[in-house]
Amino acid sequence: MKKIVMIGYGAMAQAVMPLLPEDVNVGWLVVMPQDVAKTQAIVGDEIKVISRISEIDGQPDCAVEMAGQLGLQAHLFDLIRAGIDVGVISVGTFADSVFQKQVEQAAKEHQVKISILSGAIAGIDGLASAKLAGLDSVLYQGRKNPRSWKGSYAEELVDLDQLENATTFFKGSAREAAQRFPANANVAATLALAGIGMDDTEVELIADPKMERNQHKIIAQGKFGAMEIVMMGVPLESNPKTSMLAALSVARFCRQLDDALLI
């Protein structure tokens, strides 16, 4: 039986929990201090709800993070110092190059593995392999209904309520996208880490009132040839900013903890 730590209890975590296999249990759930009592009442006594990694009693098999960039920053180094491997979904946090270097150094020092989860897209394995021969360009286009961009920096760039046609409201690097759209641009950051880096990966973000699903498009070229992948992801009903596939990637990570054959 595997016992894991879950960081965050938002829409994604709540979607992941029912998908965990029978041999993987959530032993600890980390939330904000003001949410501990409320969350404990929801999940019951079998899971210990805490607000600090130091409150973990025992040695978990791993941790999975679904708490957003601030949540990852708050807890990742404590997890590393505790010797706990971590699966990360808030990949945009690594747009901060200083943070990334500090994480890599700490993980090596404490012999901890930080797994970047694929999230809302496919093709990460192919892109990372293609990089070995040399990539010339990588473009990511994120196209979502305007309601999925609500509450983000997009509201300062375009009137989301008045759009009648598809509008590209952002063009820039993956680093800038991840920093300006922390809840929406984890895909861009993941592609950047797998491919040619945060500053050379191009990003275009589009609000399209005709879209009912979240479209992720990857266009890459290099010595390997060319790659074009289009994903049409269904957003979580409880949070349209989040793709269902992102939650499924976390569940897959947890299901592979005991697998001898990994794909």
Side-chain angles (χ1 to χ4, degrees), residues 186-243:
N186 286 317
V187 169
T190 304
L191 287 171
L193 290 178
I196 56 178
M198 292 283 180
D199 298 311
D200 292 327
T201 301
E202 301 174 77
V203 175
E204 297 178 357
L205 301 180
I206 304 160
D208 187 344
K210 297 179 182 178
M211 298 298 294
E212 293 302 322
R213 296 184 177 183
N214 298 337
Q215 184 186 89
H216 305 284
K217 187 173 185 179
I218 308 163
I219 303 172
Q221 297 185 12
K223 291 183 179 179
F224 76 100
M227 174 192 301
E228 185 168 327
I229 299 175
V230 179
M231 300 284 299
M232 299 294 291
V234 176
L236 291 177
E237 290 185 11
S238 54
N239 184 359
K241 294 184 179 68
T242 300
S243 170

Side-chain angles (χ1 to χ4, degrees), residues 23-35:
D23 60 347
V24 174
N25 287 339
V26 178
W28 304 268
L29 182 58
V30 184
V31 299
M32 298 288 286
Q34 63 269 25
D35 295 329

Side-chain angles (χ1 to χ4, degrees), residues 46-91:
E46 292 185 3
I47 300 174
K48 184 175 181 179
V49 181
I50 58 179
S51 61
R52 298 188 303 272
I53 302 305
S54 59
E55 297 177 68
I56 294 175
D57 50 346
Q59 185 63 33
D61 291 285
C62 76
V64 287
E65 173 276 322
M66 293 169 283
Q69 292 191 17
L70 293 178
L72 181 62
Q73 290 171 341
H75 300 294
L76 183 55
F77 289 106
D78 289 335
L79 288 164
I80 292 172
R81 283 189 286 266
I84 302 171
D85 294 339
V86 189
V88 172
I89 204 71
S90 300
V91 187

